[in-house]
Amino acid sequence: MYPEIENGKAECTNLVVGNGDSAPLGLLDSVNIHLDPKIDQALKEHYIPIASLKIESFINANMIGKILIQLVNYFQWTRFSIVYTNEESSIHVIKMLGQLGTAGKICLSAVEPLPVLSKSDQSEEAHMKVFNFLLQSLTSKSDPDSPIIVIGSGLSVDKFTQVLTDNLDLVSKFQWFFSSMPSPKIIQSMAPMIERVSTLSPYPGTINELEKFWKAEENSNQSHYSLFHNSVKDCDDSECVKMSELDVLWRTYQSLPIVHSIFTFAHAIRNAWIDSCKGTRGLCQSLQKMPRKTFVSNFLETLNFE
């Protein structure tokens, strides 16, 4: 991407969907742009698959639910509380944990949904009042030293963690477990109670090739790198790539969905090549003429990783 930013054309004419010949292979979506009805319709009409780069797309609700159940059994928790984002994936995880309660293995002290927020919401003061009330309600129903599991991610969780850091005396009486890793800035703000904060995170926590790349880019002083960090990361070149263990873990956490999406497309193309080209090197005529719908339905959507 960086060489393209630095040397590529200003126009995106090569990405315009026309008769199918110049349409992109797929969309790696980091900002949920596919939720725009017009864009979603265009993508479906031209069979352009979407790969969300949100961490939830890489670690699905079923996987998170299984991991949390393993942790509950491992730590022998018999009583805990849950606060969650009001969305389908989080609700699915709660149902999985609720099965433990049905079996009589645990007791849920409290189950509280987080308010739904969007970036267009402007009333900061009103939000803080709602989240503070939620925290008071949640902690009043929970036993001291008992775990409170935060399920979900996004703006609502960010706002809730901000309230946690503003009430350290209260929240330090409980154990906090996040199903999605908070940003390093949020974790650092919880330093006085860090021994009571845990989160799911990738293992291993470092992608060596990625770290070598960032370090090389940091020292290269290339224009596209400087532009990217100054405009998006809001930092000076000298301090953009932080190398603490926490920052490295955060980069790995954010990068995994991208790596997974690229490998998914690559494996689908490889399988299509094996099926169409029968071992002939390069892009054979059969693969060139393959309808986009065939590629998506026969090779991309059917792909599974063990």
Side-chain angles (χ1 to χ4, degrees):
M1 180 179 69
Y2 287 140
E4 185 67 25
I5 292 174
E6 186 176 33
N7 304 315
K9 298 179 180 179
E11 303 84 13
C12 293
T13 52
N14 60 323
L15 296 180
V16 174
V17 177
N19 58 8
D21 294 334
S22 59
L25 179 64
L27 171 66
L28 301 183
D29 186 5
S30 63
V31 293
N32 285 333
I33 193 173
H34 68 278
L35 296 180
D36 184 299
K38 293 182 179 179
I39 293 178
D40 182 58
Q41 182 180 357
L43 293 171
K44 289 178 179 178
E45 286 179 357
H46 297 279
Y47 296 99
I48 300 175
I50 307 163
S52 174
L53 300 186
K54 298 296 183 182
I55 194 67
E56 293 80 3
S57 67
F58 174 65
I59 308 175
N60 60 41
N62 204 48
M63 184 184 300
I64 291 177
K66 289 180 180 179
I67 294 173
L68 290 180
I69 289 174
Q70 290 175 0
L71 289 173
V72 168
N73 292 329
Y74 178 81
F75 289 112
Q76 298 181 343
W77 291 339
T78 57
R79 193 178 189 91
F80 59 88
S81 301
I82 294 175
V83 58
Y84 66 97
T85 54
N86 197 5
E87 54 192 10
E88 185 178 347
S89 58
S90 297
I91 293 172
H92 179 77
V93 174
I94 292 174
K95 289 180 179 179
M96 294 179 68
L97 290 172
Q99 292 175 0
L100 295 177
T102 304
K105 295 183 179 181
I106 57 133
C107 177
L108 294 176
S109 302
V111 180
E112 299 281 357
L114 290 169
V116 178
L117 298 181
S118 66
K119 291 185 177 180
S120 60
D121 292 331
Q122 299 295 327
S123 181
E124 179 75 14
E125 184 178 352
H127 289 162
M128 298 307 287
K129 287 183 179 179
V130 172
F131 279 93
N132 272 292
F133 179 81
L134 173 70
L135 177 62
Q136 296 295 330
S137 174
L138 180 69
T139 53
S140 67
K141 299 174 184 176
S142 305
D143 296 335
D145 288 324
S146 65
I148 299 178
I149 302 177
V150 182
I151 300 175
S153 63
L155 197 58
S156 295
V157 173
D158 291 343
K159 191 68 65 175
F160 182 65
T161 52
Q162 182 181 338
V163 171
L164 295 184
T165 59
D166 292 339
N167 295 271
L168 290 178
D169 289 342
L170 173 61
V171 301
S172 61
K173 298 176 182 179
F174 305 90
Q175 301 176 52
W176 296 87
F177 194 96
F178 291 84
S179 69
S180 294
M181 184 178 172
S183 71
K185 184 177 180 180
I186 291 175
I187 295 177
Q188 289 164 356
S189 67
M190 293 181 172
M193 53 167 286
I194 198 65
E195 71 280 355
R196 288 185 167 270
V197 178
S198 302
T199 179
L200 293 183
S201 62
Y203 180 83
T206 303
I207 302 176
N208 291 327
E209 292 79 4
L210 177 66
E211 291 307 312
K212 290 178 182 178
F213 169 80
W214 281 118
K215 195 63 179 177
E217 287 295 306
E218 182 184 29
N219 297 328
S220 68
N221 216 13
Q222 294 187 40
S223 61
H224 60 259
Y225 177 82
S226 302
L227 177 63
F228 174 76
H229 280 291
N230 290 339
S231 62
V232 180
K233 293 296 186 180
D234 190 25
C235 59
D236 296 329
D237 291 340
S238 59
E239 60 179 25
C240 277
V241 182
K242 297 182 174 66
M243 301 307 293
S244 72
E245 291 184 8
L246 182 58
D247 289 298
V248 171
L249 182 63
W250 177 248
R251 280 197 292 273
T252 302
Y253 183 74
Q254 295 294 307
S255 300
L256 284 175
I258 303 172
V259 174
H260 182 265
S261 297
I262 293 174
F263 268 85
T264 299
F265 280 113
H267 276 278
I269 295 171
R270 181 177 184 273
N271 290 341
W273 172 80
I274 292 173
D275 184 78
S276 301
C277 301
K278 312 300 181 185
T280 302
R281 297 180 65 179
L283 190 63
C284 64
Q285 287 293 318
S286 179
L287 184 57
Q288 277 187 313
K289 295 179 180 179
M290 178 183 292
R292 182 173 292 273
K293 180 180 180 181
T294 302
F295 170 74
V296 172
S297 59
N298 292 3
F299 299 100
L300 188 60
E301 292 181 343
T302 58
L303 192 62
N304 287 307
F305 292 102
E306 294 296 333

